[in-house]
């Protein structure tokens, strides 16, 4: 049996643990996982409400809520659906190992399995166990997990461009106009999709190399530096001549 503490984070309030219990068979990001933000890669445990996170289809979006849980995995647990997925370094575009919670959704690019098909399908990480060097393991007897929530369903980039699905957490399942939700694959369809990429030994359908190296995005506007009013820089027609100190002797008149 697995237990965890749970807390919600609002604004800049520090995360604390409460007594509510959730099951280890869940999504979210294990602490230590890096997420692509306007500041470059940022540890998920350091992300707070209001941070801008890079998304697959909608640019940078603001985090609206952060949920943090503490999970304890019992000794002898061997069921894949209750164990995190270990992604070794360079399995995709990740330069270091990554842990994925078993029910964490990943966006699979359908065009990589069928060139005539567009869009993405969401598959659970647990189905990747035993494929492409990925295995179900316990990183330790306990771990902390954070879940990020946005206004709408989003796919964000984590460690090495892996495309991670973040549902909005809406109570209503109705899709809002002009912003369709991502399609979550049925169990059988997900197995077929994962087998298709496993047979090729290629994880690129689940990761984006363009998201692997996000550049920091400045938050303040950048303006050109201009001299104060009435002062003109030397060296151009109509501006004061450069001081003789900076001219070679044969140039001086």
């Amino acid at each position: 049996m697995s237990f965890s503490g749970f807390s919600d984070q609002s604004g800049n309030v520090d995360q604390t643990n409460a007594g509510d219990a959730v099951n280890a068979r869940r999504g979210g990001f294990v602490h230590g996982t890096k997420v692509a933000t306007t500041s470059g890669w940022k540890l998920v445990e350091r992300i707070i409400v209001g941070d801008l996170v890079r998304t697959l289809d909608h640019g940078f979006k603001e985090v609206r809520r952060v949920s943090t849980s503490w999970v304890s995995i019992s000794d002898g647990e061997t069921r894949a659906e209750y164990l995190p997925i270990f992604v070794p370094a360079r399995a995709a575009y990740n330069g270091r190992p990554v842990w994925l919670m078993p029910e964490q959704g990943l966006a699979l690019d359908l065009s990589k399995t069928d060139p005539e098909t567009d869009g993405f399908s969401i598959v659970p990480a647990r189905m990747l166990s035993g494929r492409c060097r990925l295995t179900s393991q316990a990183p330790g007897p306990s771990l902390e997990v954070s879940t990020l929530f946005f206004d709408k369903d989003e796919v964000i980039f984590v460690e090495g461009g892996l495309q991670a699905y973040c549902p909005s957490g809406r109570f209503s399942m109705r899709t809002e106009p002009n912003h369709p939700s991502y399609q979550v694959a049925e169990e059988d369809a997900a197995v077929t999709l994962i087998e298709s990429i496993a047979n090729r030994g290629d994880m690129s359908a689940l990761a984006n190399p363009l998201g692997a190296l996000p550049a920091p995005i400045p938050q303040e506007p950048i303006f050109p530096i201009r001299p104060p009013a009435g002062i003109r820089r030397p060296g151009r027609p109509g501006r004061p001549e450069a001081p003789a100190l900076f001219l070679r002797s044969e140039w001086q008149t």
Side-chain angles (χ1 to χ4, degrees):
M1 183 176 293
S2 300
F3 300 94
S4 71
F6 174 83
S7 65
D8 279 339
Q9 179 196 61
S10 299
N12 295 323
V13 179
D14 292 337
Q15 299 176 7
T16 57
N17 290 330
D20 298 333
V22 296
N23 201 294
R25 183 173 178 176
R26 51 159 292 175
F29 306 105
V30 178
H31 283 196
T33 303
K34 293 183 179 179
V35 177
T37 70
T38 51
S39 302
W41 290 117
K42 189 173 183 179
L43 293 173
V44 68
E45 60 267 31
R46 296 184 180 176
I47 291 180
I48 62 174
V49 172
D51 283 353
L52 296 177
V53 171
R54 187 177 185 177
T55 67
L56 177 65
D57 294 314
H58 309 114
F60 288 90
K61 290 297 180 182
E62 183 178 350
V63 176
R64 293 298 187 181
R65 185 162 66 91
V66 179
S67 171
T68 300
S69 301
W70 179 79
V71 176
S72 178
I73 302 175
S74 60
D75 294 337
E77 181 62 78
T78 58
R79 294 172 293 179
E81 60 268 26
Y82 287 91
L83 292 173
I85 299 298
F86 176 69
V87 184
R90 293 180 291 280
Y93 302 106
N94 54 308
R96 63 176 193 152
V98 187
W99 293 95
L100 299 173
M101 291 301 287
E103 292 299 328
Q104 174 57 51
L106 296 175
L108 190 149
D109 187 351
L110 297 176
S111 65
K112 296 294 182 67
T113 60
D114 184 358
E116 298 182 357
T117 305
D118 293 327
F120 294 84
S121 189
I122 307 301
V123 298
R126 59 180 167 81
M127 290 189 173
L128 294 169
S129 180
R131 298 176 171 89
C132 299
R133 298 193 295 134
L134 276 61
T135 56
S136 295
Q137 300 181 26
S142 62
L143 59 149
E144 285 188 276
V145 178
S146 288
T147 305
L148 308 181
F149 296 92
F150 301 85
D151 285 331
K152 302 178 178 67
D153 295 353
E154 300 289 356
V155 171
I156 67 174
F157 296 106
V158 301
E159 294 282 359
L162 287 168
Q163 299 158 166
Y165 175 59
C166 293
S168 64
R170 296 189 304 269
F171 291 100
S172 172
M173 295 299 292
R174 291 180 295 179
T175 302
E176 297 186 14
N178 303 322
H179 196 111
S181 299
Y182 291 93
Q183 177 187 2
V184 179
E186 298 291 341
E187 193 85 2
D188 293 341
V191 171
T192 301
L193 289 171
I194 291 175
E195 285 182 351
S196 67
I197 64 174
N199 291 335
R200 294 183 300 154
D202 184 7
M203 287 277 292
S204 63
L206 298 170
N208 189 329
L210 298 180
L213 298 171
I217 306 298
Q219 298 300 298
E220 300 296 332
I222 299 177
F223 298 99
I225 299 176
R226 296 181 179 276
I231 299 179
R232 301 179 66 87
R233 287 178 290 187
R236 295 185 181 180
R239 298 190 176 184
E241 295 182 358
L245 175 65
F246 300 104
L247 298 179
R248 294 172 60 178
S249 59
E250 60 266 27
W251 295 349
Q252 298 180 21
T253 58

